Amino acid sequence: MTRSAPDSCPGVLRLHQAADGPLARIRVPGGRLESAQLQVLADAARDLGNGNLELTSRGNIQLRQVRDASELALRLGEAGLLPSETHERVRNIVASPLSGRIGGFADVRGLAVDLDAGLRADPRLSELPGRVLFTLDDGRGDVTTLRGDIGIQAVGTEFALLLAGADTGIRVGADEAVGVMLAAARGFLDLRGTSETGQWRLHEIAGGVESVVETLRRSPAGEPLELGAAHDIPIGWLDQDDGLVTLGAGVPLGTLSARTTEFLAAIERPVFVTPWRSLVITDLDEGPAETVVRVLAPMGLIFDANSPWLRVSACAGRPGCAKSHTDVRADLTAAVDSDRILPPTDTLPPTDNQLIPAEEVAEAGRQHWSGCERRCGRPHGPVTEVVATEHGYRIDRADEATEPGTAAN
Ligand code: SF4
């Protein structure tokens, strides 16, 4: 597949002109944010944006309606959130958020730091398309489900090399994992060339995985792993291996207000942005953890694993996207508030391709709502699609829906 348009992924230095104003995307490799960085993001959202942070499906952060791009870049640079002007859009690194604290076969936190440094140290890798995704899975199989372009998953004491979301059978030690991933990234660049309109993702190149494996000069040494498609989002009270507590918090529609972000900063503990539009608040003692839940649950963060908010997602819709037929997020919020997001066990009559008014949509199970047929942000795996048309919503049930090219953000 060859694209007819250049990769237009936004960053901090290259804003996207959304229908509601300029949009900036801030890369957060490994998802980790320190409290000082959270405070900077809260201030930036309030002073320079629309007052909210948006969590993306790659564990990054977006600000909408940015008023002063230079000031934003300055503030983020001082906070360590823009360490490279040349490589900012290629730092798409997602790591298992609980790694090193709860379970997993390996601690991938250091590998995320090293991979980020390795990317930034190679001038040529700034040419990677902004859509290329690196995944570092500590063995629990969570971020592997994102089907990154280049990734590793811990298997016992070593790592499986994953390309285009599948196991290559190549096994590497922890000390060589970053080097092999960087070599694979260079191999992908060699394949796609320097054309601005070349392929954005490894899976788009016919025979691309085999060609990259050849450049690595390594033979498959293990039976390819069966990779899962689903996993549990970390939500609620989670005991760390060292006796401290982690809290997993869902963020409805991934929208975090500046005020809530300030409260998160005040906890003064590392907070991780996950690719499931949720947060992981780490290293808490039990008493403070109870206080965090007491304060942040009324502010809208979700600590209950049965919340309907954890089964739904939506694209930007109106007013952020001019292609949208409706304010899809408002429609979905109304459905949640009026108990029309039904338990996964509910059985519903066939939809018969009927178009349904927003206020009558009532669906069961995991579902993604979109403002048009592009279905941006659709999660991988089985999901019911609720798609806006000019004359109402059409429902494609999980067992009937096709999986279109997912537009990542
Ligand atoms: S699915 Fe359509 S309406 Fe929604 S963000 Fe994508 S292009 Fe816009």
Side-chain angles (χ1 to χ4, degrees), residues 44 50 65 84 90 102 147 167 179 183 213 215 220 228 230 260 265 276 352 397 402 406:
N50 70 353
Q65 298 172 29
S84 167
V90 306
I102 302 172
R147 298 192 203 166
D167 182 12
V213 165
T215 65
T260 304
W276 310 292
D352 294 330
R397 293 257 164 79
T402 55
T406 305

Side-chain angles (χ1 to χ4, degrees), residues 322-369:
K323 292 191 179 73
S324 186
H325 294 291
T326 180
D327 185 342
V328 68
R329 290 173 168 239
D331 293 343
L332 176 51
T333 299
V336 173
D337 289 346
S338 53
D339 297 327
R340 285 184 282 116
I341 304 301
L342 307 173
T345 46
D346 277 20
T347 305
L348 300 171
T351 61
D352 294 330
N353 281 328
Q354 285 178 357
L355 297 180
I356 306 168
E359 60 278 11
E360 292 178 19
V361 176
E363 269 303 303
R366 193 169 174 236
Q367 50 200 272
H368 182 72
W369 290 45

Side-chain angles (χ1 to χ4, degrees), residues 7 35 102 133 183 236 307:
D7 169 25
S35 54
I102 302 172
L133 176 65
S307 168

Side-chain angles (χ1 to χ4, degrees), residues 39 49 51-52 80 82 87-88 95 119 141 150 154 171 198 218-219 222 261 263 290 316 351 383 400:
Q39 185 61 53
N52 292 320
L82 186 59
H87 290 65
E88 66 144 329
L119 278 172
I150 299 165
R171 301 292 179 260
R218 285 169 180 262
S219 303
T261 308
F263 275 78
E290 286 170 4
T351 61
V383 58
E400 304 156 4

Side-chain angles (χ1 to χ4, degrees), residues 54-139:
E54 282 185 0
L55 312 187
T56 79
S57 59
R58 292 174 157 207
N60 291 321
I61 287 176
Q62 292 181 166
L63 298 184
R64 286 188 172 272
Q65 298 172 29
V66 172
R67 289 186 286 281
D68 187 339
S70 307
E71 174 66 15
L72 177 63
L74 185 69
R75 292 189 190 190
L76 296 178
E78 287 175 355
L81 290 166
L82 186 59
S84 167
E85 296 197 354
T86 49
H87 290 65
E88 66 144 329
R89 297 186 313 121
V90 306
R91 302 169 67 230
N92 297 302
I93 302 171
V94 177
S96 298
L98 299 179
S99 193
R101 291 186 170 83
I102 302 172
F105 291 138
D107 185 345
V108 296
R109 291 175 294 182
L111 296 180
V113 174
D114 292 347
L115 179 59
D116 182 29
L119 278 172
R120 286 187 277 121
D122 184 338
R124 184 160 176 248
L125 292 178
S126 68
E127 296 167 15
L128 283 172
R131 298 186 189 234
V132 168
L133 176 65
F134 295 87
T135 56
L136 304 172
D137 194 303
D138 68 0

Side-chain angles (χ1 to χ4, degrees), residues 315-317 321 323-324 370-376:
C315 76
C321 179
K323 292 191 179 73
S324 186
S370 307
C372 80
E373 294 291 345
R374 276 197 71 193
R375 298 177 254 184
C376 298

